[in-house]
Amino acid sequence: MRRIGVIVGVLALGLAIAGYVFFNGERKAVVRYRTVPIERGTIVSLVTATGTINPITTIQVGSQVSGMIESLHADFNSKVTANQVVARIDPFPYQARRDQAVASLANAKAAFDKARIDLAQRRRELDRAKSLIGQQFISQNEVDVALTASEGAVAQLKVTEAAVKQAEAMLQAAELDLKYTVIRSPVDGVVISRLVEVGQRIAASFTIPMLFLIAEDVTKMQVDTNVSEADIGGIAEGKAASFTVDAYPGEQFQGRVRQVRNAPINIQNVVTYDVVVEFENPAFRLKPGMTANVSIVVAKKENILKVPNSALRFTPPKTVRDEQASGRPAKGEGGGRMSAGGTSDAAIRQLAIWKQGVDEALERVPVEMGISDGAYAEISSASINEGDQVIIGIDSPRGDRKSGELPPGFGGGQQRGGRRDRGM
């Protein structure tokens, strides 16, 4: 009985060791893949940027004369019409200058009349001298003196005539300065800013002091955005755009690209271009100076085949590629990389997706990529159809695989904290 017990114990121990080895020994882990079907739908490629809302036309209303602000007839947010009085400057100094110019003109006209009368007298004396010289009653010298006096009177008449014109010009300048003491709005619009107060003195010397800032038409405004040089190639006038502002969260406003300015803006070696997006603002809900997050539609395609971008980034594990190399060598090592901008023909030909065949063997299918919206990309190939299952990542229980068996980008020694990226 003791021998039988020892034999039974040895057999039980052997069975236990065999079971442990069978169930917990080293086995090849089964690799499972996550797949999605190729869809047919719409892709909209967008360029995002941040800009500032501004009126399309802004008028700076200033003063061409110096003086003290006597009265203001417009304030912030006031609606004004063309030729409406918005401010007045103290007119008394300019009225005095005008009166002085009026007196100077009257004096010049009187001098002109006197010179004209004197010229008539000198001409009569010259005519008399010419008649007397024929009778030899006077000498030739007296005739010459009369001729000189007549010519001098003609010159004096021209001098007084020029003085009259000068006095008239001075009067016009004085009246113009007096007219400029009344500040009028040049356009219909809304006062955005008022920069003066009653009693404030302004000096119009080298520059014109600004009194008001008027937006010509606040029902039509624009967003001035800065688009990077990498994205400016796909933007053109007439492209649709949408934007949001913090004042109205969750609400989108629609606009259209009105202008793509060619002047580069270089800030710390970062080159951007000003893109102007025009939009309607009938209720004046959007105010000048608001920050807008703009999305400009670069391209839009409908009814096309599309896959998630992760399908183009996926690469099978190295062990799987090595296993298939003996039976069906792969045509390439991976799916290449996505490009945010334009992609050359050579780079397009390198893109590929992976799918499982009938015998669950992986098959690499080269594709050409079109536009992308950041989540999905347009693809085209003669070897794919709508509904085909493409691989986007690896799905396996945690800890079933060593990090060295994962493909590039799906885990490994360079990951910090044991974190794994499974291709999404």
Side-chain angles (χ1 to χ4, degrees):
M1 293 299 295
R2 181 180 299 176
R3 184 179 299 176
I4 294 174
V6 172
I7 293 173
V8 172
V10 172
L11 291 175
L13 181 60
L15 289 174
I17 295 174
Y20 175 81
V21 172
F22 179 78
F23 289 104
N24 296 309
E26 289 198 17
R27 293 180 298 152
K28 176 185 173 182
V30 178
V31 180
R32 297 181 179 86
Y33 300 99
R34 282 183 289 164
T35 61
V36 294
I38 298 177
E39 301 177 357
R40 186 175 294 275
T42 301
I43 291 182
V44 180
S45 180
L46 302 174
V47 170
T48 59
T50 302
T52 304
I53 296 177
N54 295 309
I56 294 179
T57 303
T58 304
I59 308 298
Q60 295 182 357
V61 180
S63 173
Q64 294 186 356
V65 296
S66 302
M68 184 181 66
I69 301 296
E70 184 182 54
S71 61
L72 293 173
H73 303 276
D75 203 348
F76 293 94
N77 302 334
S78 297
K79 292 184 178 181
V80 295
T81 58
N83 209 35
Q84 176 183 337
V85 177
V86 293
R88 293 182 183 271
I89 297 176
D90 185 10
F92 292 108
Y94 299 97
Q95 288 177 350
R97 293 179 188 177
R98 184 197 59 181
D99 295 340
Q100 184 179 3
V102 171
S104 298
L105 177 60
N107 187 22
K109 287 182 177 180
F112 176 75
D113 292 338
K114 183 178 182 300
R116 186 175 55 187
I117 295 172
D118 185 66
L119 175 61
Q121 176 63 26
R122 297 306 177 189
R123 283 178 177 175
R124 287 193 295 267
E125 291 176 355
L126 178 61
D127 293 339
R128 187 181 303 114
K130 286 181 179 180
S131 64
L132 293 176
I133 190 64
Q135 301 176 9
Q136 296 183 353
F137 289 147
I138 60 175
S139 64
Q140 182 64 38
N141 182 57
E142 291 177 335
V143 176
D144 294 340
V145 170
L147 179 60
T148 302
S150 176
E151 292 176 350
V154 172
Q156 183 62 32
L157 181 65
K158 293 181 179 179
V159 171
T160 55
E161 184 180 5
V164 170
K165 292 181 178 179
Q166 183 179 6
E168 289 176 347
M170 293 179 62
L171 177 59
Q172 290 178 357
E175 289 178 344
L176 193 60
D177 288 343
L178 180 60
K179 178 182 178 182
Y180 284 155
T181 59
V182 180
I183 311 299
R184 300 179 183 272
S185 172
V187 295
D188 297 340
V190 176
V191 177
I192 301 298
S193 177
R194 175 176 61 81
L195 303 177
V196 292
E197 298 289 346
V198 174
Q200 180 178 344
R201 181 172 178 81
I202 57 175
S205 53
F206 296 102
T207 60
I208 296 179
M210 188 174 66
L211 309 182
F212 297 93
L213 188 64
I214 298 178
E216 184 174 2
D217 187 3
V218 294
T219 61
K220 294 182 179 180
M221 302 184 71
Q222 67 185 27
V223 181
D224 293 305
T225 67
N226 292 329
V227 178
S228 66
E229 58 180 328
D231 298 327
I232 198 66
I235 299 178
E237 295 182 5
K239 294 282 188 180
S242 62
F243 63 93
T244 59
V245 294
D246 294 338
Y248 305 101
E251 183 174 357
Q252 278 198 344
F253 300 89
Q254 304 299 321
R256 190 166 297 276
V257 176
R258 182 173 64 89
Q259 190 179 49
V260 181
R261 295 177 180 171
N262 296 324
I265 303 172
N266 193 331
I267 301 177
Q268 296 181 352
N269 294 329
V270 177
V271 179
T272 60
Y273 292 87
D274 189 6
V275 176
V276 180
V277 177
E278 186 179 13
F279 65 94
E280 300 288 337
N281 189 31
F284 197 32
R285 298 175 63 199
L286 301 178
K287 313 297 183 183
M290 284 185 173
T291 301
N293 300 313
V294 184
S295 298
I296 302 173
V297 178
V298 176
K300 181 179 179 180
K301 291 186 179 181
E302 299 178 350
N303 196 28
I304 58 173
L305 296 179
K306 63 178 185 178
V307 295
N309 288 342
S310 55
L312 293 168
R313 293 194 300 263
F314 173 77
T315 302
K318 185 176 182 302
T319 55
V320 176
R321 297 200 305 269
D322 292 342
E323 290 177 1
Q324 291 188 331
S326 58
R328 199 165 34 175
K331 299 179 181 179
E333 279 297 320
R337 292 185 178 180
M338 300 288 296
S339 175
T343 309
S344 64
D345 293 340
I348 290 177
R349 285 193 295 269
Q350 293 176 359
L351 295 172
I353 58 175
W354 293 81
K355 62 180 183 178
Q356 286 183 302
V358 179
D359 55 353
E360 296 187 355
L362 297 187
E363 178 184 355
R364 182 180 185 274
V365 181
V367 296
E368 293 185 357
M369 188 190 78
I371 64 173
S372 173
D373 61 0
Y376 286 83
E378 174 196 5
I379 60 171
S380 60
S381 174
S383 303
I384 60 174
N385 297 291
E386 181 182 0
D388 290 352
Q389 297 289 329
V390 296
I391 301 174
I392 62 172
I394 298 175
D395 188 8
S396 61
R398 185 182 300 274
D400 277 0
R401 212 180 322 157
K402 298 179 181 178
S403 61
E405 296 177 349
L406 295 176
F410 289 84
Q414 296 182 353
Q415 298 284 342
R416 287 183 289 180
R419 179 177 174 271
R420 292 184 178 179
D421 186 354
R422 299 193 176 182
M424 291 300 292

